[in-house]
Amino acid sequence: MAAPGVRSKPCPADAGTAKRLGITLDGWTALLGAVVFLHILISPFTKVEEGFPLHAAHDLLFHHGDLAKYDHFEFPGVVPRSFLGSVLLAALSAPAALLLSVLGAEKGAAQYAVRAALGLICVLSLARLRAAVELTFGRPVGVAFFALTALQFHVPYYASRTLPNTLALPLISLACAEWLARDRPARTVALLTFTVVVQRCDMLPLAGLIGLHMLLSGQRWLWPEGEVLWFNTILNRSSEWGVSVWHWYWTSALPRALAPALPLAVVGALLDRRAAQPVGVAAAYVMLYSYLPHKEARFLFPILPLFNIGAAVALTRIASSRSRSAAARSAHLGCCAALAAGFLMTVLMTAASRHNYPGGVALQRLHDLAAPEAARSLAAGVDLSVHIDTLPAMTGATRFFERGRPWVYSKVENLDVLELVQRNYTYLLSARPSMPRYHCVSTVEGYAGLDTEKCQKSLPPGAGVLADPKRTEHAYLRPGAQDQQLAA
């Protein structure tokens, strides 16, 4: 037996693992954190799927106990959602939000703080998963695991986005760390149970698969459930939001999310039976979820690190054996080329993501354009009313970027053109190409795709982004609105 604290080779965690399993903090962790924060700066706005946790954090930060002002009561959604994740984000970001307010920053800066808090939680939880990977496979595999994650688009990009799936990512990462360490089954069960029961019920298949592995290994199993699982899975109501072919996860979502890490994960599972455990559980989860007609890439976020573990094992094995033969050297060069191609894909997707939130850009631009009118209206004691249509609200126009007096906002839904005109709003933020009695003061175009010809001729790749007329936001002003109000 090796002396305490000394290991002769990478091996599954033993009884001493609990004392050694921590959070790996080094340059690679800092790199992943920097990539996450860079995505926040490049794409600060959010979409409707992120709305409930984000607005809950907003209301906790700015409305405190005034529940009547909470966005949830105006837009409750089709199923209830847990507030606990938002409570944690609000608590962690409150000092930064307070400091930004004291320094005179606009309220929208607090959204950066909330997203940064979530991004930090995700990075630290992945760092703990990396520590378990290093205890099991050795440090080179842990480093490769983080390098792959940092090079990819999906995990760093969505790590700061308040999707329910992202809120589940830290808990799943911590649970998988304990599972790989194989020393604290009770903690694994507790984390998975809490995640499924409180935070994200669609993690039940993953919890069941990990539990089954633990049961077959002589450990424990669990079977929790929840209302969202019933709505999405048993009733299959999620299909009302669109359906995809059964193989969509394998042929579209995973190749985009993992790039070269997907085939490498298979190689890693074949080369090392220990890597087959996380990769096999992740693959079984995807297979189970493929039976649901409604599919979204975000449903896979918590299990992407499991595929990366297998890919990291393959990269480490290939790199360590590159000098043995010409075939090994070719495999190593092929991996390097694949990683470079994956990085290029990440750059392209990052450039495109900047154009994916026209609603947020339109609201911000409206405030800038109307700043002189807002100052005069505030001095006169009159309001500037803005109606935010459904599409702008879904593509970045969150409560964080709303301002105080004289601005008054409305998100009343299902209003036709006549009703909008009759309500006499000062401004309209709408995707409609034209509005009677209003003239357009600004237009923001949304993302439609990449023009490959332009991308080949210009740098950065974002120069080849195409606009989508169907996702174009218009800011409309009612002619004479300010003059009429100030005269009154």
Side-chain angles (χ1 to χ4, degrees), residues 3 40-41 52 55 58 73 79 117 142 151-152 170 177 190 201 228 230 254 270 317 327 364 366 427 434 458 469:
I40 297 175
L41 296 176
F52 177 81
H55 285 137
H58 167 274
F73 291 103
V79 291
L151 283 173
Q152 292 167 351
C201 282
V228 176
W230 179 268
L254 284 175
L270 295 174
R317 290 287 189 90
Q364 199 170 61
L366 172 61
Y427 289 96
S434 63
S458 60

Side-chain angles (χ1 to χ4, degrees), residues 6-13 132-141 272 274 316-317:
V6 178
R7 287 186 297 146
S8 58
K9 62 179 181 179
C11 62
V133 170
E134 292 186 355
L135 283 171
T136 304
F137 300 100
R139 177 171 170 78
V141 176
D272 192 325
R274 297 169 300 175
T316 306
R317 290 287 189 90

Side-chain angles (χ1 to χ4, degrees), residues 143-326:
V143 170
F145 167 62
F146 251 40
L148 274 171
T149 304
L151 283 173
Q152 292 167 351
F153 173 79
H154 282 74
V155 172
Y157 179 77
Y158 286 100
S160 67
R161 298 195 166 274
T162 53
L163 292 162
N165 314 80
T166 304
L167 294 176
L169 176 61
L171 295 168
I172 293 297
S173 297
L174 294 176
C176 288
E178 299 296 338
W179 171 51
L180 285 177
R182 307 185 73 176
D183 187 66
R184 294 177 177 177
R187 182 173 294 185
T188 306
V189 170
L191 287 166
L192 291 173
T193 301
F194 181 85
T195 304
V196 174
V197 173
V198 177
Q199 190 58 54
R200 192 66 188 171
C201 282
D202 60 11
M203 289 293 99
L204 177 60
L206 179 62
L209 290 165
I210 293 177
L212 180 61
H213 177 268
M214 294 169 63
L215 181 66
L216 296 175
S217 303
Q219 301 179 39
R220 299 184 187 179
W221 196 30
L222 71 158
W223 188 78
E225 61 182 6
E227 186 170 343
V228 176
L229 180 73
W230 179 268
F231 181 90
N232 286 336
T233 306
I234 307 301
L235 299 181
N236 196 26
R237 293 284 302 279
S238 61
S239 60
E240 296 174 9
W241 280 263
V243 298
S244 301
V245 293
W246 70 269
H247 55 78
W248 183 82
Y249 284 133
W250 295 106
T251 57
S252 180
L254 284 175
R256 286 183 288 114
L258 296 171
L262 181 57
L264 284 171
V266 178
V267 175
L270 295 174
L271 292 176
D272 192 325
R273 62 181 181 82
R274 297 169 300 175
Q277 295 174 9
V279 173
V281 165
Y285 174 85
V286 176
M287 290 176 65
L288 288 174
Y289 245 73
S290 296
Y291 284 97
L292 283 179
H294 179 66
K295 298 177 177 64
E296 296 185 44
R298 63 189 178 97
F299 295 158
L300 305 183
F301 293 162
I303 55 96
L304 295 181
L306 299 182
F307 282 112
N308 280 341
I309 292 172
V313 170
L315 281 176
T316 306
R317 290 287 189 90
I318 293 171
S320 62
S321 62
R322 63 183 182 276
S323 60
R324 295 180 182 177
S325 65

